[in-house]
């Protein structure tokens, strides 16, 4: 694959690199006396020199072979005594939108931590503004971070169960495969479509393979080797959805590149890494990824440096951990000839760490340029000029009121609930000829409830007794059963919204967000209709974001006007707003880590077991719609 991510193509500068290596011309930069992390051999080599020219490594001085002959009067010499020189870190699977900032600001947050490259799937923006929106997002070149795109494969994530703001098909993927910053196809979440030999999905895979790119995966099916074989045979070669050691073992044996995930809420890696280490299995097909990191995680705890700390604390050899986010990653994406290791001819993307335990980055270089020192960027991204069509995406068509959230307790127990925007549930049912006076008496009703679990992407499909009061089904605060509503925010009054219940958050008040994977519709959750209405109205007014409401007051707000997903400010400012929302979650009773991320996937229809989209409950095993009330 042609590498367009280096300052100078190798064929243009190889003569200069030869001269530098032979001491016939001076290097631009020489790093002296480093503890060199050889990800190619799994060694740490002390007192090593690295000479850099044209943005690439020209000479590697191991042992007594110094780079002194490469030093001229204008050469920048960096003394790395006591430091560890590693290739720059690469995140094999990330959604930049989850950081609630654009690509430029994302670089400001992660480059000082040692991250020099990301493989990013912009399917969040894709679901709101399509392929045009993803192109707009990645046209932000204000950061030196090598932001490589894996265009979204599943927009919508699953067909016929939700309404998105856009669609992306095989023709779009064929177009995107010609873009210089595209290196792979984004995660193939619609695995049912692959198993059903959906023509468009297989054509998307085909267009990717024809472009000599890889197809990244998403298969939360556990140990199902028959289905996994079909998935891999289709052309998918990686997966970040492993949750157990058995999943990891099975996928590695199938030749899959397993992406060990450790983000803000999806903390899969600790569940299986100790067993992977104990097994002694080869880890050259293991990559590290964060998948989703919120801005306060990035600012407070870090990015891949945080993942490395966790991996080493779990017992993984630090050099092997570094291989998983450098050379293994580059080789998987077809960039291994020029990126991923600090060897002659490769891009000079490197980090000088204090040690290989805390992974504190003292200096970061990209293409031989110093881009960060002592945790601070040496660059200041210009604010990106987002066009209006990317910052005005809230099209609900009406303003919700408390009555909007009322759910009649109908005697017709099998009736599902999906309501046109602008109408109450009672109005919509009456128009269908339903006798809305035939409600259940006060007491309880058997109602389907989505069970959310802390730190997990999977959910439970529960049927529980939920209170009925004055002919309405209401939330049960004491039983930790909250009301949910998902509104199509893309199509105005041509859209529909739906109702459901959720267990596991334990809050009083209401929360709403437009970060609701993957359609990113308006998701509202709470224990009373008044607070839910205020939460929804607040996000309509600010063009999207996240909000906490309690007792008729807005407690915390994150404004995300770019596609309802990203802010326009400094990463530290967005992180501070998110921290206030996190505190509001805690103050209002929730104990989950990053609960708004868990809330955001309650509508994600491509992960088992039960989800609520704007069309209603979806059984994400059978992919059939389910009723709200059970007999």
């Amino acid at each position: 694959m042609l590498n367009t991510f280096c300052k100078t193509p190798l064929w243009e500068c190889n003569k200069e690199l030869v001269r530098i290596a032979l001491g016939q011309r001076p290097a631009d930069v020489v790093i002296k006396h480093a503890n060199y992390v050889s990800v190619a051999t799994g060694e740490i080599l002390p007192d090593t020199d690295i000479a850099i020219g044209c943005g690439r490594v020209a000479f590697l001085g191991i042992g007594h072979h110094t780079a002194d002959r490469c030093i001229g009067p204008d050469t920048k010499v960096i003394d790395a005594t006591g430091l560890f020189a590693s290739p720059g870190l690469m995140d094999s699977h990330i959604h930049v939108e989850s950081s609630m900032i654009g690509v430029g600001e994302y670089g400001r947050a992660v480059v000082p931590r040692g991250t020099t490259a990301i493989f990013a799937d912009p399917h969040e923006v894709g679901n709101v503004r399509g392929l045009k929106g993803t192109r707009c997002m990645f046209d932000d070149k204000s950061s030196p971070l090598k932001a490589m795109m894996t265009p979204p494969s599943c927009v919508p994530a699953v067909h016929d169960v939700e309404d998105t703001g856009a669609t992306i098909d095989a023709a779009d993927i064929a177009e995107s495969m010609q873009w210089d910053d595209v290196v792979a196809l984004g995660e193939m979440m619609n695995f049912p479509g692959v198993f059903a030999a959906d023509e468009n999905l297989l054509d998307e895979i085909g267009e990717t393979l024809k472009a000599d790119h890889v197809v990244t995966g998403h298969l939360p099916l556990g140990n199902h080797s028959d289905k996994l074989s079909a998935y891999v045979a289709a052309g998918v070669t990686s997966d970040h959805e492993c949750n157990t050691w058995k999943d990891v073992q099975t996928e590695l044996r199938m030749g899959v590149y397993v992406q060990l995930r450790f983000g803000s809420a999806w903390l899969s890696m600790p569940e299986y890494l100790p067993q992977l280490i104990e097994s002694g299995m080869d880890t050259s097909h293991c990559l590290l990824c964060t998948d989703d990191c919120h801005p306060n995680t990035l600012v407070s705890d870090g990015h891949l440096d945080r993942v490395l700390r966790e991996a080493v604390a779990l017992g993984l050899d630090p050099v092997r951990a570094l291989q998983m986010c450098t050379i293994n990653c580059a080789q998987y994406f077809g960039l291994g000839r020029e990126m991923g290791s600090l060897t002659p001819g490769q891009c000079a993307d490197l980090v000088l760490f204090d040690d290989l335990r805390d992974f504190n980055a003292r200096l970061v270089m990209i293409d031989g340029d110093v881009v960060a020192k002592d945790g601070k960027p040496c660059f200041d991204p210009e604010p990106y000029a987002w066009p209006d069509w990317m910052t005005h995406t809230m099209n609900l068509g009406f303003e919700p009121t408390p009555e909007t959230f009322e759910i009649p307790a109908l005697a017709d127990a099998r009736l599902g609930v999906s309501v046109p925007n602008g109408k109450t549930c009672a109005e919509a049912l009456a128009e269908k000829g339903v006798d809305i006076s035939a409600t259940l008496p006060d007491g309880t009703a058997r109602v389907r409830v989505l069970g959310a679990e802390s730190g997990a992407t999977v959910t439970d499909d529960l049927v529980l007794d939920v209170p009925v009061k004055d002919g309405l089904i209401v939330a049960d605060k004491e039983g930790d059963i909250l009301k949910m509503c998902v509104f199509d925010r893309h199509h105005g009054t041509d859209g529909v919204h739906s109702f459901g219940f959720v267990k596991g958050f334990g809050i009083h008040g209401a929360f709403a967000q437009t970060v609701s994977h993957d359609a990113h519709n308006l998701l509202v959750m709470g224990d009373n209709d008044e607070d839910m209405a205020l939460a929804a109205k607040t996000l309509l007014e600010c063009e999207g974001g996240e909000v906490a409401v309690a007792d008729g007051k807005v407690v915390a707000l994150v404004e995300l006007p770019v596609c309802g997903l990203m802010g326009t400010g400094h990463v530290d400012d967005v992180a501070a707003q998110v921290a206030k929302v996190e505190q509001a979650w805690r103050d209002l009773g929730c104990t989950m880590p990053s609960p708004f991320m868990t809330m955001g996937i309650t509508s994600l229809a491509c992960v088992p077991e039960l989800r609520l989209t704007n069309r209603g409950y979806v059984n994400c095993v059978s992919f059939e719609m389910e009723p709200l009330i059970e007999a």
Side-chain angles (χ1 to χ4, degrees):
M1 184 177 76
L2 181 64
N3 177 17
T4 61
F5 301 98
C6 294
K7 180 188 295 183
T8 309
L10 186 56
W11 66 80
E12 289 185 4
C13 65
N14 57 356
K15 294 177 183 177
E16 290 298 300
L17 298 180
V18 169
R19 294 188 182 101
I20 294 171
L22 295 175
Q24 297 171 358
R25 63 144 283 190
D28 299 327
V29 179
V30 169
I31 297 173
K32 297 282 294 178
H33 309 304
N35 294 309
Y36 172 73
V37 180
S38 174
V39 293
T41 62
E43 301 174 280
I44 298 175
L45 304 174
D47 199 21
T48 298
D49 293 354
I50 305 168
I52 297 167
C54 306
R56 293 176 179 267
V57 176
F59 174 79
L60 189 61
I62 300 171
H64 65 279
H65 298 286
T66 74
D68 290 347
R69 68 177 182 276
C70 305
I71 298 174
D74 297 323
T75 300
K76 179 180 178 63
V77 179
I78 299 173
D79 184 1
T81 300
L83 302 179
F84 292 79
S86 164
L89 309 181
M90 298 177 166
D91 193 333
S92 68
H93 177 67
I94 179 68
H95 303 289
V96 169
E97 303 97 311
S98 293
S99 68
M100 304 179 195
I101 47 179
V103 173
E105 273 300 304
Y106 191 84
R108 186 206 298 271
V110 303
V111 167
R113 299 282 193 166
T115 300
T116 59
I118 58 172
F119 298 85
D121 180 347
H123 71 218
E124 324 299 359
V125 162
N127 272 276
V128 179
R129 283 294 186 244
L131 194 68
K132 181 182 177 182
T134 68
R135 182 66 273 157
C136 177
M137 177 182 172
F138 276 76
D139 282 342
D140 180 356
K141 306 295 185 184
S142 60
S143 162
L145 175 70
K146 295 183 178 180
M148 292 171 262
M149 189 197 302
T150 65
S153 61
C154 302
V155 177
V158 182
H159 288 278
D160 301 323
V161 299
E162 64 183 349
D163 294 291
T164 60
T167 59
I168 292 177
D169 60 18
D172 294 318
I173 294 302
E175 175 188 340
S176 70
M177 288 298 144
Q178 307 309 309
W179 297 347
D180 284 344
D181 51 0
V182 166
V183 298
L185 183 65
E187 57 179 304
M188 181 50 68
M189 298 179 292
N190 191 357
F191 49 88
V194 173
F195 300 149
D198 178 275
E199 184 174 352
N200 179 70
L201 289 183
L202 293 182
D203 284 348
E204 287 185 3
I205 293 174
E207 294 295 341
T208 305
L209 298 177
K210 283 191 288 185
D212 197 26
H213 293 322
V214 295
V215 180
T216 65
H218 169 115
L219 189 68
L221 286 180
N223 183 29
H224 296 278
S225 58
D226 54 341
K227 291 184 177 180
L228 178 60
S229 291
Y231 194 60
V232 176
V236 185
T237 48
S238 66
D239 182 34
H240 59 273
E241 287 291 337
C242 289
N243 290 308
T244 68
W245 161 237
K246 193 65 175 178
D247 297 346
V248 172
Q249 184 184 58
T250 301
E251 293 198 1
L252 287 175
R253 287 172 173 170
M254 290 282 186
V256 174
Y257 280 78
V258 175
Q259 295 159 309
L260 315 184
R261 178 171 60 184
F262 194 73
S264 290
W266 323 136
L267 309 174
S268 310
M269 187 174 69
E271 298 299 320
Y272 46 68
L273 182 55
Q275 291 166 291
L276 173 62
I277 297 167
E278 184 180 358
S279 74
M281 291 182 71
D282 183 84
T283 57
S284 58
H285 274 216
C286 294
L287 316 176
L288 298 183
C289 80
T290 59
D291 196 359
D292 297 287
C293 267
H294 274 139
N296 46 341
T297 300
L298 296 177
V299 170
S300 301
D301 299 329
H303 183 227
L304 284 170
D305 57 322
R306 169 177 174 263
V307 183
L308 287 168
R309 284 193 294 274
E310 179 69 15
V312 171
L314 290 168
L316 186 62
D317 175 79
V319 177
R320 185 176 292 192
L322 283 166
Q323 288 173 326
M324 293 180 184
C325 57
T326 56
I327 191 169
N328 294 5
C329 187
Q331 289 180 345
Y332 172 63
F333 285 100
L335 296 165
R337 288 182 299 168
E338 296 189 282
M339 299 171 69
S341 68
L342 292 177
T343 49
Q346 292 249 326
C347 296
D349 302 337
L350 65 87
V351 190
L352 296 180
F353 289 115
D354 276 339
D355 56 49
L356 300 186
R357 182 189 66 254
D358 296 327
F359 294 95
N360 176 45
R362 291 286 299 277
L363 182 140
V364 183
M365 301 182 78
I366 295 179
D367 288 337
D369 296 326
V370 176
V371 292
K373 286 184 178 180
D374 297 321
K376 302 294 183 183
C378 298
F379 57 94
D380 188 17
E382 290 289 328
Y384 187 51
W386 295 100
D388 286 348
W389 56 271
M390 288 286 281
T391 57
H392 292 82
T393 62
M394 293 295 288
N395 182 20
L396 201 63
F398 77 109
E399 184 177 297
T401 66
E403 290 73 27
T404 303
F405 297 91
E406 293 181 349
I407 307 174
L410 295 171
D412 185 351
R414 294 294 300 176
L415 187 66
V417 180
S418 180
V419 179
N421 284 352
K423 296 184 181 297
T424 67
C425 185
E427 290 170 343
L429 293 173
E431 288 183 0
K432 293 180 179 180
V434 176
D435 181 5
I436 60 173
S437 66
T439 57
L440 298 172
D442 284 3
T444 61
R446 295 289 287 171
V447 172
R448 177 163 272 102
V449 176
L450 187 157
E453 297 183 19
S454 177
T457 58
V458 296
T459 59
D460 295 322
D461 185 352
L462 308 173
V463 177
L464 302 174
D465 291 325
V466 176
V468 173
K469 184 178 180 180
D470 298 328
L472 300 174
I473 308 175
V474 298
D476 180 6
K477 180 182 176 182
E478 288 71 25
D480 184 24
I481 299 175
L482 304 174
K483 189 182 294 185
M484 288 178 62
C485 190
V486 182
F487 296 87
D488 177 348
R489 69 167 172 104
H490 306 294
H491 302 101
T493 52
D494 290 332
V496 299
H497 60 276
S498 68
F499 301 89
F501 289 86
V502 63
K503 182 177 178 65
F505 288 93
I507 61 105
H508 162 63
F511 287 84
Q513 54 192 63
T514 49
V515 180
S516 55
H517 304 274
D518 273 324
H520 296 291
N521 283 309
L522 174 60
L523 173 60
V524 189
M525 180 178 75
D527 66 357
N528 70 90
D529 299 339
E530 291 74 18
D531 284 349
M532 294 175 76
L534 177 57
K537 179 182 177 181
T538 301
L539 293 190
L540 284 176
E541 291 174 349
C542 69
E543 289 292 339
E546 297 179 346
V547 65
V549 173
D551 302 319
K553 295 181 180 179
V554 174
V555 178
L557 172 65
V558 183
E559 297 187 26
L560 303 174
V562 181
C563 294
L565 300 169
M566 295 177 287
T568 58
H570 192 288
V571 59
D572 291 335
D573 296 332
V574 179
Q577 293 178 25
V578 173
K580 290 181 180 178
V581 171
E582 279 202 324
Q583 185 60 51
W585 277 100
R586 290 190 289 270
D587 292 344
L588 297 176
C590 186
T591 60
M592 286 185 180
S594 297
F596 42 84
M597 188 173 287
T598 302
M599 177 182 172
I601 64 161
T602 55
S603 58
L604 180 58
C606 61
V607 179
E609 181 172 331
L610 181 70
R611 306 288 156 154
L612 182 71
T613 74
N614 70 295
R615 297 193 191 182
Y617 274 130
V618 184
N619 182 316
C620 297
V621 177
S622 66
F623 290 94
E624 297 177 347
M625 306 305 292
E626 298 281 7
L628 172 64
I629 305 172
E630 282 288 341

